[in-house]
Amino acid sequence: MNLRRRWAPRARNPERIPVVTTRFAAACWSLRLARVASASVVLLGAVVLTGWMSGSASLIQLLPSWPPMPRNVAASFMLIGIGLLALASRGPRWLVGLCAGLVATVSMLRIAEIVLRVDAGINELLGPSYINVGLVRRGGMSPLAATCFAISAGAMLIAMKQAPHRFAMIMGISGSVVAALGIVAALGFLGGITLAALHTALGLCLLGTGMLALAWRTEGRPAGSPRWLPASAGLAVAMLTAGMWRALVLDGHAPFALLNTVALGGGVLLAPIFALTVYLAQRGHAQAASLRRSEALLAEAQRLSSTGSFSWRVATNMVEYSEQTYRTYDFDPAAPVTLAMIATRIDPDDLHLLEEMIGVARGPGTDLDYEYRLRMADGSVKHLHLVARGTRDRDGLEYIGAIQDVTPRRLAEEALGKVRSELAHVARVSSLGALTASIAHEVNQPLSGILTNAGTCLRMLACDPPNIDGAQETARRTIRDGHRASDVIARLRALFARQPAMTEAVDLNEATREVLALSRSEMQRQRVIVRAELGTDLAQVSGDRVQLQQVILNLLLNAADAMSELDDRPRHLLIRTVGEGDDAARLDVCDVGTGLDSQSMHRLFEAFYTTKAKGMGIGLSVSRSIIERHEGRLWATQNEGAGATFSFRVPAARRLMPMPAH
Ligand code: ADP
């Protein structure tokens, strides 16, 4: 069997490769929320900073009696918001590092100022903390705001270097703490006690929400709930409860008289979160179980169909194999697959296909459809069929595909090819049987020529004086007739013999002339008037000359048979060859016989379909398989008038690949 690259007809151009932007659609909402929250945080900071610059007190403190949001808090909001936005949009890492680093430094210095009770001027970094109009007090980054900024900036700095699940855990826990502290600050505000400015509190809530959403987005596995969820929920509830308690105490309530209220409030807050956690955990378990089951089913289906799957990231050359693909290649499942490892398995004759495939993937990036062989360690050969489709996402082009072990099918095809060639032989012998008289005549003609010439030669030599020139001439004719007879015998032997198929350039006209010569007497015996119109502009075709002659012979004999009962008109048979440009050549055999009705038209090429008493019904089916093996087509049409036309078309020599060997 010939192995060659086969392009799938659906091969598509690179711009039609679908663009995958997110791995899990379910994670989209969280990504959007993270972006919206971080953009809002940036906006909040920008608005308040504008207020400071334009001296507009309403932007800085909302109401005259409320505390202001200082310049450094506004700037920190802007910076941390930009950092979070960059993280959520896969922006440059340096930007995340720069923004979070600045905020972390400022907030840590502010915490140090508070703890050590010193004034290092952090609140005045960006200018005076007063403006002339309406500010009730100095602006300063409150301990709560400083803590929140330190937590979020630190978390971003640490998380950005971690693997996705750690990133999610760090961002999730710190995000929920910041959000809870924001709520606490807002509660404190409601309780009449100023823990931070109201818009600072809301900004912190937004910031925490954005961080949490980003954690969910990264965590976005289809099954399972994040492991950090209970810890983050617990911390958030504890902080909220403590914040509420503190707000009430600062509002004038006796701390211990509030114990019941606090326990009740904490419990009420905790209950839905606890219920949600349990629900998510249960759902996660159920989804994981169903995922495991479908994975097992898929693995079993892959094993049964001998089809494995794989993925290949073109930029990094990262290859992932399914269990079945490991089995097909006989690789150790524990070892990661590399292209070099794959190359060691591929049959050396097919290695160029691998190189070509890599070239295609790195170049135009079209879909892949290849057949190639593996040479296993024990020397056995496997035939594989690979199909893959490319998808582009943020990390570049990735191919996902299937590799099927088609060895049994290939072996069956080879066996079928052998049977077919045996059938072809039977068909050939049976059609030659019908030609016996014609063949005898063909051989007889040169033989009687030899006898006549030999007699003449003897007579000429017996003359006195002997006619040497005449004798030489007749001896030459004897030799010519001898060659003619041996040519006929050689042609016959070629047609009778079962030789393997050969690919050569065949002149279709020449091949047709030979068949006509062999069948001339048979046609005369059947009173068929043969007219040959052999085209002059015919390209040579590539194929097996004897097989093509067998098809022509079969069409001729069938045409003669179809006219055997015809007595009211002459039995005309036209054999015609036509060049179809440089690409192909066509041959038609037209008769004026019984023709084809619509019913027989459908069955003509079926094996063993015959309407003749002594027919075998394999001539046309074998002819069609021969022509198809030449990558051509054989078909029949009913003539306008009487009779039918059988035609075949085969591609010209330079367009053909080498023929399959059977
Ligand atoms: P067989 O000649 O042994 O019957 P073939 O496969 O060569 O087997 O042909 C199958 C059938 O196709 C024939 O029996 C005949 O009915 C039909 N057929 C073939 N050639 C012609 C033709 N030129 N005109 C009409 N019918 C034809």
Side-chain angles (χ1 to χ4, degrees):
M1 183 72 201
N2 213 34
L3 270 157
R4 55 188 186 236
R5 191 200 71 182
R6 299 192 300 113
W7 278 109
R10 60 182 188 285
R12 53 194 59 211
N13 43 28
E15 53 274 19
R16 287 185 61 202
I17 286 182
V19 176
V20 180
T21 44
T22 50
R23 192 158 287 258
F24 303 111
C28 272
W29 65 266
S30 47
L31 191 63
R32 243 175 266 145
L33 179 60
R35 286 182 185 154
V36 169
S38 46
S40 312
V41 168
V42 177
L43 190 70
L44 175 70
V47 167
V48 176
L49 266 188
T50 317
W52 277 102
M53 281 170 199
S54 62
S56 132
S58 58
L59 293 181
I60 302 170
Q61 59 182 11
L62 304 181
L63 288 179
S65 56
W66 289 1
M69 183 197 288
R71 290 173 202 259
N72 52 7
V73 172
S76 296
F77 270 131
M78 266 188 78
L79 285 171
I80 201 93
I82 292 172
L84 192 60
L85 199 58
L87 264 185
S89 317
R90 291 225 175 175
R93 278 173 161 239
W94 63 262
L95 185 62
V96 182
L98 181 72
C99 295
L102 279 173
V103 175
T105 315
V106 169
S107 53
M108 293 306 285
L109 285 174
R110 177 69 190 130
I111 290 173
E113 268 187 353
I114 296 166
V115 172
L116 303 174
R117 294 174 195 275
V118 290
D119 184 357
I122 298 299
N123 286 326
E124 312 269 326
L125 263 182
L126 298 170
S129 53
Y130 277 112
I131 53 172
N132 292 333
V133 272
L135 280 197
V136 286
R137 63 181 203 184
R138 255 171 98 92
M141 189 185 275
S142 67
L144 185 125
T147 312
C148 284
F149 284 133
I151 291 174
S152 45
M156 278 160 67
L157 284 174
I158 297 168
M160 63 188 266
K161 296 195 186 95
Q162 308 290 328
H165 68 279
R166 275 179 175 266
F167 175 96
M169 186 179 76
I170 295 169
M171 293 296 277
I173 292 183
S174 51
S176 56
V177 168
V178 172
L181 286 176
I183 297 174
V184 166
L187 283 177
F189 190 87
L190 289 178
I193 305 299
T194 307
L195 286 177
L198 181 59
H199 40 354
T200 303
L202 295 179
L204 291 176
C205 288
L206 268 174
L207 179 62
T209 311
M211 290 171 73
L212 262 173
L214 193 59
W216 271 98
R217 141 80 189 137
T218 313
E219 188 69 44
R221 284 179 297 156
S225 51
R227 275 173 300 140
W228 46 264
L229 192 67
S232 97
L235 270 171
V237 168
M239 265 167 212
L240 280 182
T241 316
M244 209 168 60
W245 193 3
R246 190 184 131 98
L248 291 172
V249 170
L250 291 178
D251 208 27
H253 293 77
F256 294 105
L258 288 171
L259 265 181
N260 289 347
T261 322
V262 168
L264 195 66
V268 167
L269 276 173
L270 198 57
I273 293 172
F274 180 69
L276 183 71
T277 311
V278 171
Y279 164 73
L280 284 176
Q282 270 180 345
R283 198 184 61 163
H285 282 306
Q287 281 176 338
S290 93
L291 201 65
R292 270 200 301 278
R293 182 172 157 68
S294 65
E295 266 172 9
L297 281 177
L298 190 68
E300 186 60 11
Q302 290 204 353
R303 203 177 60 79
L304 284 174
S305 63
S306 307
T307 309
S309 51
F310 73 95
S311 70
W312 169 32
R313 281 237 164 250
V314 179
T316 55
N317 270 341
M318 209 173 85
V319 180
E320 280 176 51
Y321 271 7
S322 74
E323 253 175 62
Q324 176 58 31
T325 317
Y326 269 105
R327 221 172 290 140
T328 306
Y329 276 78
D330 199 13
F331 283 155
D332 172 11
V337 185
T338 61
L339 287 183
M341 261 167 80
I342 298 173
T344 59
R345 271 282 182 278
I346 292 189
D347 190 296
D349 289 347
D350 291 347
L351 257 182
H352 66 281
L353 291 178
L354 179 72
E355 284 156 20
E356 188 187 310
M357 196 167 80
I358 295 173
V360 167
R362 298 228 167 100
T366 40
D367 288 357
L368 307 176
D369 189 341
Y370 283 84
E371 278 199 32
Y372 55 94
R373 289 165 298 185
L374 297 188
R375 193 157 291 276
M376 310 309 287
D378 61 359
S380 62
V381 172
K382 280 188 184 175
H383 296 256
L384 302 189
H385 183 191
L386 174 151
V387 279
R389 172 164 297 182
T391 49
R392 270 180 213 283
D393 60 13
R394 278 180 300 233
D395 299 329
L397 184 59
E398 180 180 26
Y399 276 98
I400 295 178
I403 298 177
Q404 188 175 23
D405 183 350
V406 290
T407 313
R409 204 201 303 165
R410 287 283 160 275
L411 294 181
E413 271 173 16
E414 269 164 32
L416 192 69
K418 274 199 197 110
V419 172
R420 211 184 274 147
S421 90
E422 267 156 30
L423 253 186
H425 181 66
V426 172
R428 198 184 311 156
V429 171
S430 72
S431 28
L432 286 172
L435 285 179
T436 328
S438 167
I439 292 161
H441 179 80
E442 278 300 308
V443 183
N444 212 20
Q445 257 189 348
L447 278 184
S448 46
I450 289 170
L451 285 180
T452 321
N453 284 327
T456 317
C457 184
L458 280 180
R459 261 199 317 282
M460 285 179 171
L461 288 174
C463 285
D464 192 17
N467 180 353
I468 301 290
D469 286 349
Q472 273 180 340
E473 178 53 32
T474 43
R476 253 182 240 119
R477 265 189 252 141
T478 313
I479 293 171
R480 185 202 61 198
D481 284 348
H483 279 313
R484 221 197 268 163
S486 81
D487 277 354
V488 175
I489 303 289
R491 278 204 296 262
L492 273 177
R493 279 180 52 189
L495 277 175
F496 263 111
R498 274 194 55 202
Q499 285 158 344
M502 272 173 43
T503 309
E504 56 189 344
V506 180
D507 178 343
L508 206 56
N509 285 344
E510 190 59 37
T512 309
R513 266 188 224 109
E514 280 187 14
V515 175
L516 285 176
L518 268 181
S519 58
R520 192 180 307 129
S521 309
E522 172 67 8
M523 293 295 148
Q524 279 169 5
R525 194 183 62 76
Q526 295 214 35
R527 288 188 282 122
V528 175
I529 305 162
V530 179
R531 188 155 60 92
E533 284 179 10
L534 304 182
T536 48
D537 56 343
L538 223 57
Q540 288 204 321
V541 299
S542 162
D544 186 290
R545 179 193 184 83
V546 173
Q547 286 190 352
L548 289 175
Q549 284 182 322
Q550 182 194 336
V551 175
I552 302 171
L553 183 62
N554 190 44
L555 298 184
L556 280 181
L557 294 179
N558 274 350
D561 286 347
M563 297 190 288
S564 61
E565 313 222 316
L566 208 67
D567 288 319
D568 55 341
R569 56 179 188 270
R571 299 177 182 180
H572 282 300
L573 186 155
L574 169 66
I575 182 159
R576 182 170 50 204
T577 54
V578 190
E580 299 201 331
D582 290 342
D583 286 350
R586 196 185 80 223
L587 183 139
D588 303 319
V589 176
C590 322
D591 62 57
V592 291
T594 48
L596 308 162
D597 56 44
S598 60
Q599 215 187 356
S600 64
M601 189 78 117
H602 286 111
R603 305 196 52 200
L604 284 179
F605 297 99
E606 275 176 24
F608 308 113
Y609 170 76
T610 180
T611 54
K612 301 171 196 166
K614 290 188 182 161
M616 287 175 67
I618 53 173
L620 284 180
S621 80
V622 165
S623 297
R624 176 170 267 188
S625 78
I626 289 177
I627 295 298
E628 280 174 357
R629 238 176 299 144
H630 283 75
E631 307 212 341
R633 198 165 79 83
L634 168 66
W635 70 99
T637 42
Q638 170 65 31
N639 291 344
E640 296 265 301
T645 299
F646 281 74
S647 314
F648 69 77
R649 184 178 190 279
V650 274
R654 59 180 183 75
R655 293 192 53 241
L656 265 187
M657 308 280 295
M659 274 224 311
H662 52 260

